[in-house]
Amino acid sequence: MGNLDRTDLRILAVLQGDGRITNAELAERVSLSPSACLRRLQRLEGEGILTGYTAQVDPEAVGLGLQAFVRVQLTKHESEAIERFVEHVNAWDEVVACYALTGDMDYLMHIYVADLQHFSRFLLDRLLNASGVADVNSSFVLRTVKRSAALPLTQLER
């Protein structure tokens, strides 16, 4: 954070809202010349602060109508067991995010599937067959109240 100024944060905030904006439009929105804006953008990319550009896809429009959050507890916490579990998770397309946690469960996975039958196959054929899984606890999303991949950068300007 030490080398980010208010203009850098404004560039990042604008890009989080519209990753397809042209450099000229971005420069105008953050009150820079296009060349100065491009230099800052290249620096943010080069330093790994800006890590990529993605499209946001409506899950239901592509047939992924069921979301679940699955808490996982492992039987062992040795590095080999953890590595094996992480390899499995990274191979499963249904898992869009996975977090290591503190507390009574070890991991929280965010999963998108077509329907309950698909979830059942994922749970029984993949997750519970993964070596080292001791317990799982699933919760299904009834309604999405807020969904955003944007970080709260405006609070950093204060």
Side-chain angles (χ1 to χ4, degrees), residues 8-105:
D8 291 331
L9 292 171
R10 287 192 350 246
I11 289 170
L12 294 171
V14 169
L15 287 172
Q16 285 187 135
D18 183 3
R20 293 181 56 149
I21 192 170
T22 67
N23 182 62
E25 291 171 309
L26 178 60
E28 186 176 321
R29 296 260 307 266
V30 298
S31 303
L32 288 175
S33 70
S35 59
C37 185
L38 184 59
R39 281 192 303 274
R40 282 179 180 258
L41 193 56
Q42 289 170 335
R43 180 181 55 79
L44 292 168
E45 290 171 343
E47 291 177 359
I49 295 166
L50 188 55
T51 59
Y53 303 86
T54 62
Q56 295 179 5
V57 178
D58 179 351
E60 290 187 25
V62 295
L64 297 172
L66 184 66
Q67 285 182 73
F69 287 92
V70 178
R71 291 166 300 284
V72 177
Q73 186 175 38
L74 300 180
T75 54
K76 297 178 182 173
H77 297 91
E78 300 150 354
S79 60
E80 277 185 30
I82 292 170
E83 283 179 38
R84 259 193 322 275
F85 178 74
V86 168
E87 285 174 13
H88 284 295
V89 168
N90 283 315
W92 296 330
D93 291 337
E94 294 91 344
V95 180
V96 297
C98 182
Y99 306 96
L101 303 176
T102 61
D104 59 341
M105 296 303 252

Side-chain angles (χ1 to χ4, degrees), residues 123-135:
L123 183 70
L124 298 173
D125 298 344
R126 291 185 176 185
L127 183 57
L128 292 177
N129 278 333
S131 60
V133 173
D135 189 24

